[in-house]
Amino acid sequence: MKYFSKDKQFCNFNLHYDTFYSLDYFCSCMERLQVKNVELIAGHQSLFLDHNGIQDAARAKKLLRDHGLKAAAVSAQSCRFRYQFAVREKEVQEQTFQFFANGIRLAAELGAGILQVNPGWGYWNEPLQDGRERAAEMFLRLCRVGQEYGVRMACEALRPQESLMGYRIQDIRQIYDMVDHPNFKVMIDTCAMGVAGETIQQWFDTFGSENIIHAHFQDGTPYFHMIWGEGRRNLGEDLRVLYENGYTGMLSQELTMPAYYQDPFSCDVRNLAALSEYLY
């Protein structure tokens, strides 16, 4: 069965391009694949921002337009960088807020209505609840910026090796309830979800389809972010559950295996071929 539209809901995340390939190259590859929607990582040399400001977005906007692409979401670098949502040090908190606020502004400039976020992490030698409270406070401040610019946040879980305070569905639910703002929503990441032993249906049962607005949707073992067909997930079953729950967000492909960075385009070709059986 064909569950979702390639033009409207398939999305490629440029994470496996961002270190060694320019944004120009990524956009030209997406045009060759006839992909229409992209998620962009921000905070690296091709799409730079920090707490002081953002690069002129005009060039990135022109690249997207020239290649027939729509920015569906922006992810301000928060896993391999100095900024993270539950930061404790007072002197870094304001810089962190400004960084992610600039991510919201960049998303708005590019026409993306979503800033993809995660719960961040506290220190493992402090109560986990302390980190959740700091993250919720940061998110609430950012929601007010997002409301001004028309950008919502979509929060995913991380794996336990990345964040003990935010790797289970109940952790994300607690943070979601603490923030309690219409601009704060959640997203599914099939890798983190699989590592936690959770299911897509549990996420919909917990949050409802109206609050799940984005997805990092990739194969896994379950630990890794893999091309469909290279892991152990059931692609058809995963898509069926999303479809039957009325999911209307993007199926964003987050591919992070080291081998994929050597030739990301060929990986995208293989991945899209596997997905095409279910896309119309």
Side-chain angles (χ1 to χ4, degrees):
M1 180 175 173
K2 305 284 188 180
Y3 291 106
F4 295 103
S5 165
K6 177 188 173 186
D7 287 350
K8 294 180 179 179
Q9 287 179 274
F10 178 83
C11 178
N12 222 16
F13 190 8
N14 71 327
L15 197 58
H16 52 312
Y17 287 81
D18 80 300
T19 301
F20 302 117
Y21 297 90
S22 67
L23 186 60
D24 310 56
Y25 180 74
F26 170 72
C27 289
S28 66
C29 286
M30 295 307 98
E31 185 176 16
R32 288 168 64 189
L33 284 173
Q34 298 182 310
V35 167
K36 302 299 183 185
N37 307 291
V38 294
E39 180 174 345
L40 299 176
I41 189 78
H44 63 91
Q45 58 186 347
S46 265
L47 195 60
F48 185 74
L49 77 158
D50 62 11
H51 62 276
N52 292 311
I54 63 176
Q55 73 175 52
D56 182 2
R59 182 177 178 276
K61 289 169 67 174
K62 185 177 187 303
L63 272 176
L64 294 171
R65 183 173 62 250
D66 290 349
H67 291 284
L69 300 171
K70 179 184 185 302
V74 166
S75 176
Q77 182 60 268
S78 59
C79 286
R80 293 180 294 173
F81 212 42
R82 64 178 290 183
Y83 308 103
Q84 60 98 2
F85 298 97
V87 60
R88 186 171 76 180
E89 287 70 20
K90 294 294 184 183
E91 64 272 22
V92 185
Q93 284 179 358
E94 189 59 30
Q95 290 184 358
T96 298
F97 168 74
Q98 293 298 336
F99 172 75
F100 289 114
N102 285 334
I104 289 170
R105 296 181 185 104
L106 177 61
E109 284 265 0
L110 298 181
I114 292 174
L115 182 75
Q116 182 266 315
V117 304
N118 60 58
W121 50 89
Y123 289 118
W124 288 5
N125 61 333
E126 69 172 349
L128 298 178
Q129 187 63 16
D130 290 358
R132 294 188 192 109
E133 290 174 359
R134 291 195 301 269
E137 182 179 352
M138 180 70 71
F139 286 135
L140 185 56
R141 292 183 68 193
L142 291 168
C143 280
R144 295 169 184 145
V145 180
Q147 200 164 32
E148 178 183 353
Y149 286 90
V151 174
R152 296 181 294 175
M153 279 175 283
C155 185
E156 66 177 352
L158 294 174
R159 294 167 290 194
Q161 295 85 350
E162 298 166 315
S163 175
L164 285 177
M165 51 162 266
Y167 75 94
R168 299 168 301 181
I169 195 168
Q170 59 261 41
D171 302 332
I172 305 303
R173 180 72 212 202
Q174 184 184 23
I175 294 169
Y176 174 85
D177 289 341
M178 292 166 69
V179 177
D180 191 24
H181 193 284
N183 276 60
F184 190 75
K185 303 295 184 181
V186 300
M187 59 176 283
I188 289 169
D189 183 289
T190 52
C191 176
M193 181 191 72
V195 171
E198 298 165 352
T199 68
I200 293 174
Q201 189 60 54
Q202 285 176 306
W203 276 75
F204 279 99
D205 291 344
T206 301
F207 291 103
S209 58
E210 70 277 11
N211 292 313
I212 299 176
I213 63 170
H214 194 53
H216 283 166
F217 184 76
Q218 58 279 322
D219 207 345
T221 58
Y223 188 83
F224 298 103
H225 296 73
M226 304 173 75
I227 291 170
W228 284 103
E230 294 189 359
R232 297 200 296 262
R233 296 199 65 84
N234 186 320
L235 174 57
E237 176 65 13
D238 282 351
L239 288 170
R240 182 191 65 79
V241 176
L242 287 171
Y243 177 81
E244 290 183 353
N245 280 279
Y247 178 69
T248 59
M250 293 288 167
L251 305 169
S252 189
Q253 306 299 297
E254 183 185 22
L255 307 176
T256 64
M257 293 291 284
Y260 300 162
Y261 288 72
Q262 297 174 24
D263 187 0
F265 179 72
S266 69
C267 296
D268 290 338
V269 170
R270 299 201 312 273
N271 195 41
L272 189 54
L275 281 154
S276 62
E277 178 181 351
Y278 302 98
L279 302 176
Y280 55 84

